[in-house]
Amino acid sequence: MSDSRIAVLVPGKIHPRVLAKLEARFDVVALERGESPKIDAEAAARIRGVAVAGGFNAAWIDAFPNIEVIANFGVGYDGIDVGHAASKGIVVTNTPDVLNDEVADTAIALLLNTLRQYPQAETWLREGRWASEGPFPLSPFSMKGRHVGIYGLGRIGLEIAKRLEPFKVKVSYHTRSERDSLPYDYYPTLKSLAEAVDTLISIVPKTAETHKVINAEILSALGPQGVFINVGRGWSVDDDALIAALGNGTLGAAGLDVFYDEPNVPAAYLSLPNATLLPHVASASVPTRNAMADLVAENIIRWFENGRAVTPVPETPGK
Ligand code: NAP
Ligand code: 8YV
């Protein structure tokens, strides 16, 4: 470690492109994750920036008295105690916009897979059942004529809405504040949206307000022809209610990219034929992850170059 270079902490694993870009300019200090960081006070005091994929809680923030900036790999920064960071004047950054297209594409693909059962149809072919048993059964659902509700019409939600237009489906949404000048109907509550639509896509952040809000009442409002898609956070879903609704036909089908306690997926989902499951891959392409990695590094580089982060989160607007 050279004393003349700024020290930046990387706890746990991060995209190699972040590491390469940071190592070119800073002393990168890699630490294993754990309850508290294993580092002596002198080394901890040298750390001025953090690049992290995953969590960085209050205990970790407090262990490094001179942190100025925490750059999160991902647009969702729920793993970082942003309130605590803000109270200490630390700027938190995330990776908005560069992943909008990829995540929106995944939402549409997951919706089509859930409605039309394409993954199961491919398995049918690969297992030789087309030749031995005949055509794959007709899918119970179709995209045609659906009314899709988007729960969260932010950067990604809007891209999902735009992608739905060529499918000739009706699109409505719920957010806390109505958005201006959009051709989609606004519903002031999640329940009123769920009652109006037959397809619900969740793309809201993990916050105290969004905890387990996709519950039995919302699923029952969607109904037996109803479909629920989650590309936001598993935190927003009451898994017991969703598993019951899928099992007893209260809800038609669900497509899930995100789960409450990743990578642990409740076993009940695996045995439900009307659940289509992905291992949190919505942004997981080489080009999009490269763009996210570049933005993480850029936030730290710009902060130490001119005191301005590129994409600070609203709670810590920076300078
Ligand atoms: P964003 O631009 O901040 O949009 C969030 C939207 O959710 C806004 O429209 C916001 O509108 C709405 N919202 C927030 N809290 C709400 C509440 N309590 N009730 C109703 N609406 C609420 O964020 P984004 O960039 O689109 O990303 C959204 C989230 O997607 C991320 O935070 C992350 O958790 C998730 N995500 C998942 C993946 C994946 O790999 N599956 C990838 C990227 C992102 P109002 O403020 O007006 O309510
Ligand atoms: C990533 C995501 O899978 O950006 C987010 O909020 O959920 C995804 O893009 C994740 O952040 C990678 O660590």
Side-chain angles (χ1 to χ4, degrees), residues 73 99 102-103 106 257 280-289 292:
F73 187 96
L99 41 53
E102 207 73 76
V103 178
T106 306
D257 179 54
H280 200 147
V281 294
S283 70
S285 71
V286 168
T288 293
R289 287 290 169 86
M292 291 165 67

Side-chain angles (χ1 to χ4, degrees), residues 75 153-156 175-177 203 205 209 231 233 257 280 282:
V75 67
L153 200 72
R155 290 171 293 241
I156 299 170
T175 47
R176 290 164 301 180
S177 330
I203 183 69
E209 281 180 318
V231 280
R233 284 288 183 265
D257 179 54
H280 200 147

Side-chain angles (χ1 to χ4, degrees), residues 190-262:
L190 175 59
K191 184 160 179 239
S192 59
L193 178 70
E195 283 167 347
V197 303
D198 53 30
T199 308
L200 183 67
I201 301 178
S202 180
I203 183 69
V204 285
K206 174 178 175 178
T207 66
E209 281 180 318
T210 62
H211 189 223
K212 295 195 178 183
V213 285
I214 308 294
N215 56 22
E217 185 181 41
I218 299 299
L219 298 169
S220 149
L222 293 174
Q225 299 297 308
V227 168
F228 170 63
I229 302 296
N230 195 6
V231 280
R233 284 288 183 265
W235 165 265
S236 301
V237 174
D238 178 340
D239 283 319
D240 291 340
L242 179 54
I243 288 162
L246 289 170
N248 64 27
T250 302
L251 180 75
L256 310 174
D257 179 54
V258 286
F259 298 89
Y260 199 93
D261 178 29
E262 296 174 0

Side-chain angles (χ1 to χ4, degrees), residues 266-302:
Y269 282 130
L270 307 183
S271 53
L272 282 164
N274 50 355
T276 299
L277 311 171
L278 292 176
H280 200 147
V281 294
S283 70
S285 71
V286 168
T288 293
R289 287 290 169 86
N290 281 350
M292 291 165 67
D294 289 348
L295 189 48
V296 170
E298 212 49 27
N299 267 300
I300 295 191
I301 292 166
R302 295 284 156 255

Side-chain angles (χ1 to χ4, degrees), residues 3-61:
D3 273 354
S4 58
R5 300 222 303 180
I6 290 166
V8 172
L9 173 72
V10 176
K13 285 189 184 156
I14 202 157
H15 193 290
R17 201 165 160 119
V18 178
L19 276 184
K21 293 206 163 202
L22 293 180
E23 278 165 357
R25 290 169 180 253
F26 305 106
D27 276 338
V28 172
V29 178
L31 279 187
E32 274 182 31
R33 291 195 172 284
E35 293 245 319
S36 53
K38 291 191 174 52
I39 187 167
D40 65 62
E42 194 185 334
R46 285 198 65 239
I47 302 290
R48 292 175 57 195
V50 179
V52 63
F56 205 72
N57 63 21
W60 276 72
I61 291 173

